[in-house]
Amino acid sequence: MARRFTIADIAAAAGVSKGAVSYALNGRPGVSDATRARILAIAAEMGFVRNRAARSLSVASAQAVGIALRRSARTLGIEPYFMELISGIEATLSAASFGLTLQIVDSLDAELEVYRRWWAERRVDGILLCDIGVDDPRLDRVADLGLPAVAVGGPVQGARLPAVWHDDAEPCRDVLEYLHALGHRRIARVAGLPHLLHTAIRDRAYAETAAGLGFASVTTVHCDYTGEESARVTRRLLTAPGRPTAIVFDNDVMAVAGLGVAHELGIAVPGGLSIVAWDDSPLCRLTHPALTSLTRDITAYGAQCAQALLAVIGAEPERHAAVRCRPAELSPRGSTGPPRT
Amino acid sequence: MARRFTIADIAAAAGVSKGAVSYALNGRPGVSDATRARILAIAAEMGFVRNRAARSLSVASAQAVGIALRRSARTLGIEPYFMELISGIEATLSAASFGLTLQIVDSLDAELEVYRRWWAERRVDGILLCDIGVDDPRLDRVADLGLPAVAVGGPVQGARLPAVWHDDAEPCRDVLEYLHALGHRRIARVAGLPHLLHTAIRDRAYAETAAGLGFASVTTVHCDYTGEESARVTRRLLTAPGRPTAIVFDNDVMAVAGLGVAHELGIAVPGGLSIVAWDDSPLCRLTHPALTSLTRDITAYGAQCAQALLAVIGAEPERHAAVRCRPAELSPRGSTGPPRT
DNA sequence: CTGAAAGCGCTTACAG
DNA sequence: CTGAAAGCGCTTACAG
């Protein structure tokens, strides 16, 4: 437990003022090259690291970013999405020597309260807003706070916050065209929460494309991303008359559950039922057959979100008002094939 | 974007000194009840929230706890364990108005460097050490730093750090006795990383119990918790002569992958093969049949870990040197049954 | 019970 | 190029 040194210690050792040490450490003009080198050497030798609180207090910046997640422990655990996203965010932040503060909340009010507090106490310099909804009230509320923020999802037209998002419509079209080409005509979709923006975008893209391709039927059932609900819904879809020959699921967890139901009912996959998952986590390769899915690099997406937020905060040179990322791409695997007639 | 108030503003409005405001806000003696009430009312009206950095600088405490995870984005995403753990930790911390700082690292050195930096810059008051290994070098290194810490896992005999852990041996015995009672005699185990402490504890518990019960064979194969490795290993186990009638997996992800392999090989579960998973995430109920598994409340476990750390830091009254939590309990489901002879 | 002051460890104008 | 000083917003002995 070595003693913690301060710039005063370095100043004393180098025979200069604290101000000079600060300039040297921060690579700013105000000290000669020789003095700077000497100061840096002494600091390195002492194993000096700036006290965060003192620095934050001086520069009025927390050097940290916050994320509040409004999901239950179980949902957070089971959905690979979040950890992959956070992992990408974190990598970018730590490269900029920014910290990541995480909080889990259970209501919209609690979430907004967290933002208010974080900003008031300057615990964070900005936040990443996840799970963007249709007409999301948080966009305005956060903008009102003056808290720098980036929406993880979009597009959010007219919002006062920049957004980073994937185009969700194009992959929907890809999937339907693919299933159509395989010969499927009766399709169902087990969708995510209807109030989420990307669900709404997919709803519309599927509806439009389906109409264009002339499918006999495209049934959409919304549920909550859990395996339980997906299983219940899938069971109903598969036992009703005129059952679909293919089901598209809005995430990987629901797709795995759907596959389980097919097994349970003795329906062969893909012969009796084709399955497509959204979000290509390793989960999709755990099953037999492996699941055809819409692949996107969520870790890279997280990194872009963090980058955009740093830009808004002003910690990065360039600034992007909104970033549109590469759409998900279809990865065909064993769970899709021509329907057995 | 309302103006941010400071205690100086409150002091001016209340006609008292900044010191009095501080005492009132912190519920400390030094102000009369009447003055305190007046100050508090003004503070509330202003929507005052203390500046974190200033407070941290004064009290020499970060009011935050750190976790560095040495896992890839993919592993973190797929294993429900971490998010459930973090969720429990976070709930406890935020109740104590402590923040959680998260960092993902890719090597032991990077991890230790993060701890050193966090502690040097006082970004955290303490850390939670995850994935405890056999003879884990971090226990000593962190203790050397003088950084308050709690080991999430154990028991760690002779360590200078307190630990919070589950007994891993008892559930192992439970599983073997259960499988034995069902009539299984040839068993295999797809285990986790051998250098992790809980893997070693399970290794030994299985070996001892198996010997006592007189199993014909208990084969253990170590792998890395991923579905890929588990699938490979399971495939080998099930295609070799004298294949096991039951396999115990060290986590849920590997068990799901193992079930996929059984399907692939046309082996009925549980008739041709019984499967037991460790860690009862929702994943275990996604499959068909649902997986028999060892259930423990990981969120509650995370809460206990956070509690212990707060105690070590001194933010909580009681202090626990080490906490032993309830062992996992067997939840029998559809994936286990008597072997078909 | 109350006020004035020093201090936490930095950063940053402002004079020399 | 360098030094002395003020200030960030709190907390906390120390006098009254």
Side-chain angles (χ1 to χ4, degrees):
Chain A
M1 177 147 33
R3 162 152 182 250
R4 214 172 310 280
F5 294 100
T6 70
I7 55 167
D9 297 314
I10 300 176
V16 297
S17 70
K18 292 194 306 176
V21 174
S22 177
Y23 289 138
L25 252 25
N26 293 314
R28 303 184 47 160
V31 281
S32 66
D33 288 350
T35 313
R36 183 186 307 275
R38 190 154 46 90
I39 291 172
L40 257 26
I42 292 171
E45 190 192 343
M46 286 180 169
F48 174 78
V49 182
R50 275 199 225 38
N51 177 300
R52 277 270 163 181
R55 166 157 240 263
S56 289
L57 184 56
S58 287
V59 303
S61 141
Q63 307 275 96
V65 155
I67 297 182
L69 258 22
R70 195 164 79 237
R71 295 268 188 134
S72 71
R74 294 242 119 176
T75 321
L76 284 174
I78 186 85
E79 280 232 74
Y81 174 83
F82 284 106
M83 260 300 187
E84 294 187 11
L85 185 75
I86 286 175
S87 173
I89 290 167
E90 207 286 312
T92 300
L93 290 181
S94 68
S97 82
F98 263 63
L100 172 64
T101 291
L102 194 70
Q103 182 139 1
I104 293 165
V105 294
D106 56 14
S107 71
L108 174 62
D109 285 343
E111 183 180 342
L112 289 168
E113 181 53 36
V114 164
Y115 296 144
R116 206 170 297 127
R117 186 166 45 72
W118 275 351
W119 186 229
E121 65 186 12
R122 282 287 198 209
R123 190 184 254 292
V124 303
D125 297 314
I127 59 154
L128 250 18
L129 225 43
C130 296
D131 282 336
I132 300 298
V134 177
D135 296 325
D136 199 315
R138 298 174 302 164
L139 295 171
D140 264 339
R141 306 286 288 276
V142 167
D144 285 342
L145 283 175
L147 168 57
V150 165
V152 179
V156 284
Q157 54 273 65
R160 293 180 284 155
L161 258 37
V164 177
W165 83 98
H166 295 275
D167 174 32
D168 270 277
E170 186 178 321
C172 294
R173 289 190 287 271
D174 291 345
V175 169
L176 289 192
E177 282 166 8
Y178 168 66
L179 292 174
H180 191 268
L182 284 174
H184 293 275
R185 292 299 177 270
R186 282 196 319 282
I187 292 190
R189 170 164 167 256
V190 176
L193 293 167
H195 65 84
L196 291 183
L197 180 56
H198 71 262
T199 306
I201 291 173
R202 294 179 195 178
D203 285 351
R204 159 183 264 229
Y206 278 114
E208 291 179 354
T209 311
L213 291 172
F215 278 99
S217 77
V218 178
T219 318
T220 293
V221 188
H222 291 276
C223 59
D224 69 354
Y225 294 116
T226 64
E228 290 77 41
E229 276 208 25
S230 169
R232 201 174 310 130
V233 164
T234 305
R235 202 172 286 119
R236 203 161 53 221
L237 286 169
L238 294 179
T239 51
R243 71 166 146 98
T245 59
I247 304 183
V248 182
F249 293 86
D250 258 14
N251 77 353
D252 40 13
V253 171
M254 295 196 295
V256 172
L259 177 64
V261 170
H263 280 148
E264 170 193 326
L265 299 175
I267 297 173
V269 175
L273 177 73
S274 282
I275 290 180
V276 178
W278 204 292
D279 281 347
D280 184 22
S281 77
L283 216 51
C284 296
R285 269 163 279 187
L286 247 48
T287 56
H288 182 79
L291 300 178
T292 291
S293 58
L294 288 157
T295 307
R296 49 181 183 157
D297 187 339
I298 297 170
T299 305
Y301 180 50
Q304 286 186 279
C305 294
Q307 214 97 48
L309 181 54
L310 289 177
V312 170
I313 290 172
E316 289 271 292
E318 338 84 297
R319 52 174 41 224
H320 336 237
V323 182
R324 176 177 175 156
C325 306
R326 291 181 51 194
E329 284 169 7
L330 191 67
S331 302
R333 298 209 185 83
S335 68
T336 44
R340 200 170 41 206
T341 39
Chain B
M1 178 149 31
R3 158 147 185 253
R4 211 173 311 282
F5 295 99
T6 70
I7 55 167
D9 298 314
I10 301 177
V16 297
S17 69
K18 293 193 307 176
V21 174
S22 178
Y23 289 137
L25 253 24
N26 292 312
R28 303 183 48 160
V31 281
S32 67
D33 288 348
T35 314
R36 183 188 307 274
R38 187 155 47 88
I39 291 172
L40 256 28
I42 292 171
E45 191 192 341
M46 287 180 168
F48 173 78
V49 183
R50 275 200 224 38
N51 176 301
R52 275 273 162 179
R55 166 158 239 261
S56 289
L57 185 56
S58 288
V59 303
S61 142
Q63 307 275 96
V65 156
I67 297 183
L69 258 22
R70 195 163 78 240
R71 294 267 189 135
S72 71
R74 294 242 119 175
T75 321
L76 284 174
I78 186 85
E79 280 231 74
Y81 174 83
F82 284 105
M83 261 299 187
E84 293 187 11
L85 185 75
I86 286 176
S87 172
I89 291 168
E90 207 286 311
T92 300
L93 290 180
S94 68
S97 82
F98 262 64
L100 173 63
T101 291
L102 194 69
Q103 181 139 3
I104 293 167
V105 293
D106 56 13
S107 70
L108 173 63
D109 285 343
E111 183 179 343
L112 290 169
E113 181 53 35
V114 165
Y115 295 145
R116 205 170 297 127
R117 185 167 46 71
W118 274 350
W119 187 228
E121 65 188 13
R122 282 288 197 210
R123 191 184 253 293
V124 303
D125 297 316
I127 59 155
L128 249 19
L129 224 44
C130 296
D131 281 337
I132 300 297
V134 177
D135 296 325
D136 199 314
R138 298 174 302 165
L139 296 171
D140 264 338
R141 307 285 288 275
V142 167
D144 286 342
L145 283 176
L147 168 58
V150 165
V152 179
V156 284
Q157 55 274 66
R160 293 180 284 156
L161 257 41
V164 178
W165 84 99
H166 294 277
D167 175 31
D168 270 277
E170 186 177 322
C172 294
R173 290 190 288 270
D174 291 346
V175 168
L176 289 192
E177 282 165 7
Y178 168 67
L179 292 174
H180 190 267
L182 284 174
H184 294 274
R185 292 299 177 268
R186 282 195 319 281
I187 292 188
R189 169 164 167 256
V190 176
L193 293 166
H195 65 83
L196 292 183
L197 181 56
H198 71 261
T199 307
I201 291 171
R202 294 178 194 177
D203 284 353
R204 161 184 262 228
Y206 279 115
E208 290 179 356
T209 311
L213 291 172
F215 278 99
S217 76
V218 178
T219 318
T220 293
V221 188
H222 292 277
C223 59
D224 69 352
Y225 294 114
T226 65
E228 289 78 39
E229 275 208 26
S230 170
R232 202 174 312 130
V233 164
T234 306
R235 203 171 286 119
R236 204 160 54 219
L237 286 169
L238 293 179
T239 52
R243 69 166 148 98
T245 58
I247 304 184
V248 182
F249 293 85
D250 259 15
N251 77 353
D252 41 14
V253 172
M254 295 196 296
V256 172
L259 176 63
V261 170
H263 281 148
E264 170 193 326
L265 298 175
I267 298 174
V269 174
L273 177 73
S274 282
I275 290 180
V276 178
W278 204 292
D279 281 348
D280 184 20
S281 77
L283 216 51
C284 295
R285 268 164 278 187
L286 247 48
T287 57
H288 181 79
L291 301 178
T292 292
S293 59
L294 289 157
T295 307
R296 48 182 183 156
D297 187 339
I298 297 170
T299 305
Y301 179 51
Q304 287 188 278
C305 294
Q307 213 97 48
L309 181 55
L310 289 176
V312 170
I313 289 172
E316 290 271 291
E318 340 84 297
R319 55 175 38 226
H320 335 237
V323 182
R324 178 177 174 155
C325 307
R326 290 181 51 195
E329 283 169 7
L330 190 67
S331 302
R333 298 208 185 84
S335 68
T336 44
R340 200 169 45 206
T341 40

